[in-house]
Amino acid sequence: MHILITAGGTAEKIDNVRTIINQATGRLGKEIAAAFSSAPDCRITYIHGPQADLPEKHSNISFFPVGSVQELLHEMTRQLASQPFDAVIHSMAVSDYQMDFAIDGDAFANKLAEELVRRPQDISETELAEDIRQLLRTHAFVPEKQAKKLSSDSRQLILFLGRAPKVISIIKTVQPETILVGFKLLVDVSEDVLTDAALKSIKTNNADFILANDLTKITGETHQAFLIDSGANKRYFSTKQEIAAGIRQAVISKLEERSE
Amino acid sequence: MHILITAGGTAEKIDNVRTIINQATGRLGKEIAAAFSSAPDCRITYIHGPQADLPEKHSNISFFPVGSVQELLHEMTRQLASQPFDAVIHSMAVSDYQMDFAIDGDAFANKLAEELVRRPQDISETELAEDIRQLLRTHAFVPEKQAKKLSSDSRQLILFLGRAPKVISIIKTVQPETILVGFKLLVDVSEDVLTDAALKSIKTNNADFILANDLTKITGETHQAFLIDSGANKRYFSTKQEIAAGIRQAVISKLEERSE
């Protein structure tokens, strides 16, 4: 059995000293690796973010560190192209956004005024909003050269972030036969909202299971979560160990079903 | 002898899952603590950021974890008010900015259009720029309630950051007698530029020494840096161990001078 696990969080650089991170200790990925390690003949490919708490080094685990979503996408694509995986367990907290550019607040105001002052005088609010949207999207404000370290002296700093690629969506596209376990983390929502988000992710990404959890229900040793499949069948867990064991069991059952 | 050391980097939350960090391993602070630990009767108060590599626990070191610049400011003020320190070695990578608010790109364009469409038709570019600056500064775009987790579905996300307080500047204000060692990290600049920045920091913050370094000269075991005083006297170092020993020596010499 060969399993690909992603763990920890991605990190999008703003400049050489500042970074936007998606908070994740990596401990859940570590537990999942431990659960699969005990399966006979299991090899694990482990893609992880910076500062993730890692599983112990072992001959059956290969580690691949990544930083940004782009780096994750690159490593994931490379791994999926190089060998078939029985399952991909994508527990990494992946940024939805990546840095487009950073600009000083005053410089932004000047640039925007320069663009907008030429607009026709009878422009409607809707047209003006559309013009501003276009300006923002076409990066009309990008400084010619981004500094290696942003100025420390701006009164206001504005960061523009664009959508990062959805790494999860490529997994089944490249390996339709793999068992895909995705993760959905929301903050302080009802179980219904979490369930809907998980089912939507199953559909969008062609996932076999989603591990759904709520940040407000992860404290100390407690980690409440449920594993849901496309039929909305749920299994509930209260600790990282239970989650890891539950995912392992779900994956192995599915592999056994297929081989029957 | 009682020393206050700050180490690691600050972390400014964007929402409950995303954070802007100032990258710092904390290893230099750890070396500095080790260098002072060996001095007789030295007690260390150690303020550190999340995920900083920490000195070993020891009865002469007290640890105080902080996250944001505001938390650092609070802890620093509390410590300085509670007891006199012989020296403060402020090696922490402190964010220059803190989060003001985050807004979806389209929502920002709509709000800006709503404000600007009412402007007089013969407004000059300079006046328009000033109006936009005012709008940005007064936070006219702040959503009424910031979500606990920002939407993952925006095409563009805009983060507005304002200036964070300069924690270093309060140290000598509260304890004029303490020996203050500040740090200046720039990226890929000449020694002259770094020297000027360090001397400026000495003046602005009434520091006794600045440890000046360049990110491009910190790789693996190498950590090139110089310690400079108000007379522009410099001592050069090539490793974290040398830096730590050099700072210890400079602080102890200065304390001895004073007691003579």
Side-chain angles (χ1 to χ4, degrees), chain A residues 17-19 21 23 96-97 110 121 133 137 148-149 151-152 154-155 157 159 161 163 185 188, chain B residues 17-19 21 23 96-97 110 121 133 137 148 151-152 154-155 157 159 161 163 185 188:
Chain A
V17 300
R18 303 171 176 98
T19 303
I21 58 165
Q23 282 183 297
D96 298 306
Y97 301 101
N110 291 342
Q121 304 204 330
R133 253 195 300 279
R137 263 185 227 147
K148 286 176 187 166
K149 182 181 174 185
S151 165
S152 304
S154 295
R155 276 185 293 189
L157 184 69
L159 307 183
L161 294 91
R163 293 207 62 76
L185 176 71
D188 204 11
Chain B
V17 301
R18 302 172 177 97
T19 304
I21 58 165
Q23 282 182 296
D96 299 305
Y97 301 100
N110 291 341
Q121 302 207 329
R133 254 196 298 282
R137 264 184 227 149
K148 287 177 185 166
S151 165
S152 304
S154 296
R155 275 185 294 189
L157 185 68
L159 307 183
L161 293 91
R163 291 208 63 78
L185 176 70
D188 202 12

Side-chain angles (χ1 to χ4, degrees), chain A residues 102-120:
Chain A
I103 188 168
D104 170 271
D106 288 352
F108 175 74
N110 291 342
K111 265 287 201 183
L112 194 57
E114 187 187 320
E115 295 285 342
L116 293 182
V117 83
R118 294 188 228 126
R119 293 291 181 278

Side-chain angles (χ1 to χ4, degrees), chain A residues 92-226:
Chain A
M92 196 169 195
V94 181
S95 179
D96 298 306
Y97 301 101
Q98 56 194 5
M99 272 294 293
D100 276 346
F101 62 98
I103 188 168
D104 170 271
D106 288 352
F108 175 74
N110 291 342
K111 265 287 201 183
L112 194 57
E114 187 187 320
E115 295 285 342
L116 293 182
V117 83
R118 294 188 228 126
R119 293 291 181 278
Q121 304 204 330
D122 57 350
I123 194 166
S124 74
E125 185 180 321
T126 316
E127 289 167 329
L128 184 57
E130 183 51 34
D131 280 0
I132 296 172
R133 253 195 300 279
Q134 283 300 327
L135 287 170
L136 296 178
R137 263 185 227 147
T138 55
H139 300 176
F141 309 105
V142 184
E144 296 227 340
K145 184 167 170 267
Q146 286 268 288
K148 286 176 187 166
K149 182 181 174 185
L150 293 169
S151 165
S152 304
D153 301 323
S154 295
R155 276 185 293 189
Q156 189 169 45
L157 184 69
I158 308 178
L159 307 183
F160 288 81
L161 294 91
R163 293 207 62 76
K166 282 277 182 198
V167 177
I168 188 174
S169 71
I170 65 148
I171 296 170
K172 284 280 201 159
T173 315
V174 183
Q175 290 199 11
E177 297 300 314
T178 200
I179 296 169
L180 173 58
V181 185
F183 283 66
K184 178 59 74 178
L185 176 71
L186 295 179
V187 182
D188 204 11
V189 297
S190 68
E191 185 172 328
D192 283 351
V193 170
L194 191 52
T195 301
D196 288 348
L199 289 173
K200 191 178 158 205
S201 179
I202 286 177
K203 208 168 163 187
T204 312
N205 304 304
N206 198 11
D208 297 276
F209 303 97
I210 294 288
L211 191 286
N213 49 176
D214 187 310
L215 193 64
T216 60
K217 290 175 179 163
I218 306 173
T219 47
E221 289 307 299
T222 304
H223 190 142
Q224 288 184 39
F226 57 84

Side-chain angles (χ1 to χ4, degrees), chain B residues 46-57:
Chain B
Y46 201 83
I47 301 179
H48 62 87
Q51 297 170 318
D53 204 358
L54 295 179
E56 278 175 44
K57 286 202 168 68

Side-chain angles (χ1 to χ4, degrees), chain B residues 155-175:
Chain B
R155 275 185 294 189
Q156 190 168 45
L157 185 68
I158 308 178
L159 307 183
F160 288 82
L161 293 91
R163 291 208 63 78
K166 283 276 182 198
V167 176
I168 188 174
S169 71
I170 66 148
I171 297 170
K172 284 280 199 158
T173 316
V174 183
Q175 290 198 12

Side-chain angles (χ1 to χ4, degrees), chain A residues 38-51:
Chain A
S38 61
D41 293 328
C42 185
R43 281 180 304 141
I44 297 172
T45 295
Y46 202 85
I47 299 178
H48 62 88
Q51 296 170 317

